[in-house]
């Protein structure tokens, strides 16, 4: 089968409320109130591909291609661009401000979700805000299967400098194991701290390398 799918903008909060479903509370009350888009779809009984995707999520525009390679295993492939998104808007108020890099943000994913993921693809974001930290030209390459999620490489322009990282989350055991390898180079630390903390007790260009391993929440 093949065809064109058009989704007129709708308010996801109102729709789920009518269906008796409660969406998680978000930091911005107007988040998830405008969703719509269009795509060309093709597929068969085992798989489906959405190409030429143009989707609006509130103030963000998402373009690219997404495929479910196999319905039985829910194997997902994607190559997606997002112009701009503030992740903080979609997080619960209690979670806002807790993860200052893409790698650290990934470690907040629910363990049960990681165990169920089967995906391979790349995501590019023109402008990204996480925990108040502003990044440009973000690239995330993701692979997940059999309870292991790898985000490698991660990259972004960060406050006139550069962020690069690799993240592995192994959720196969009772306690998840997380490995982070992150580097920032020539980052203006004063501007970063001002966005995260509201003040800048130190300034200047900063280089930092961090390699961390956590098991069940312990480093």
């Amino acid at each position: 089968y093949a065809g064109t799918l058009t989704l007129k903008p709708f308010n996801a909060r109102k729709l789920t409320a009518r269906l008796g479903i409660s969406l998680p509370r978000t930091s911005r009350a107007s988040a998830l109130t405008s969703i719509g888009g269009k795509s060309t779809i093709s597929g068969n009984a085992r798989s489906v591909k959405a190409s030429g995707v143009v989707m609006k999520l509130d103030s963000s525009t998402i373009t690219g291609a997404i495929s479910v390679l196999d319905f039985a295993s829910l194997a997902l492939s994607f190559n997606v661009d997002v112009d701009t998104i503030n992740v903080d808007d979609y997080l619960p108020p209690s979670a806002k401000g807790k993860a200052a890099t893409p790698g650290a943000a990934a470690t907040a994913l629910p363990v049960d979700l990681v165990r169920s993921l089967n995906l391979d693809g790349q995501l590019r974001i023109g402008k990204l805000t996480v925990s108040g930290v502003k990044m440009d030209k973000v690239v995330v390459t993701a692979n997940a299967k059999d309870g292991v999620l790898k985000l490698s490489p991660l990259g972004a322009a960060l406050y006139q400098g550069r962020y690069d990282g690799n993240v592995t989350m192994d959720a196969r055991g009772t306690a998840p194991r997380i490995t982070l390898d992150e580097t920032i180079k020539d980052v203006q630390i004063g501007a970063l701290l001002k966005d995260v903390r509201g003040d800048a007790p130190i300034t200047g260009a900063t280089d930092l390398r961090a390699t961390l391993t956590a098991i069940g929440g312990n480093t």
Side-chain angles (χ1 to χ4, degrees):
Y1 56 88
T4 301
L5 176 66
T6 300
L7 184 65
K8 293 184 177 180
F10 70 97
N11 187 320
R13 292 194 175 277
K14 289 184 178 180
L15 175 61
T16 53
R18 289 182 180 180
L19 296 174
I21 302 171
S22 297
L23 289 176
R25 186 183 175 196
T26 56
S27 295
R28 184 164 66 93
S30 59
L32 303 175
T33 57
S34 180
I35 300 174
K38 61 181 181 179
S39 173
T40 299
I41 61 170
S42 59
N44 51 44
R46 298 183 302 275
S47 64
V48 63
K49 179 179 181 179
S51 58
V53 174
V54 180
M55 179 179 177
K56 293 288 291 185
L57 172 62
D58 299 321
S59 59
S60 301
T61 300
I62 302 165
T63 58
I66 304 171
S67 300
V68 179
L69 303 176
D70 177 47
F71 290 135
S73 61
L74 291 181
L76 179 68
S77 174
F78 60 91
N79 189 353
V80 173
D81 290 271
V82 181
D83 60 348
T84 179
I85 188 167
N86 187 335
V87 174
D88 294 339
D89 291 343
Y90 299 91
L91 295 176
S94 60
K96 188 177 180 181
K98 290 188 176 181
T101 67
T107 64
L109 291 172
V111 175
D112 289 341
L113 173 62
V114 174
R115 288 173 177 152
S116 66
L117 288 176
N118 186 352
L119 58 84
D120 183 49
Q122 189 174 85
L123 170 66
R124 294 168 296 275
I125 306 174
K127 293 183 180 296
L128 170 68
T129 301
V130 179
S131 297
V133 177
K134 300 179 180 67
M135 289 167 265
D136 301 315
K137 300 178 181 178
V138 179
V139 178
V140 180
T141 303
N143 179 272
K145 192 173 183 180
D146 299 328
V148 179
L149 169 64
K150 294 182 180 181
L151 303 177
S152 178
L154 293 168
L158 181 69
Y159 295 91
Q160 301 179 43
R162 178 75 189 172
Y163 163 86
D164 291 284
N166 299 282
V167 179
T168 300
M169 186 172 182
D170 188 341
R172 290 175 293 184
T174 303
R177 181 183 181 91
I178 300 168
T179 302
L180 287 174
D181 183 359
E182 299 185 297
T183 302
I184 62 173
K185 185 174 179 60
D186 295 329
V187 170
Q188 293 298 316
I189 193 66
L192 188 153
L193 290 174
K194 189 171 183 180
D195 280 345
V196 174
R197 300 168 31 123
D199 61 358
I202 58 174
T203 59
T206 301
D207 295 351
L208 177 66
R209 172 74 182 273
T211 302
L212 302 172
T213 298
I215 301 176
N218 296 317
T219 56

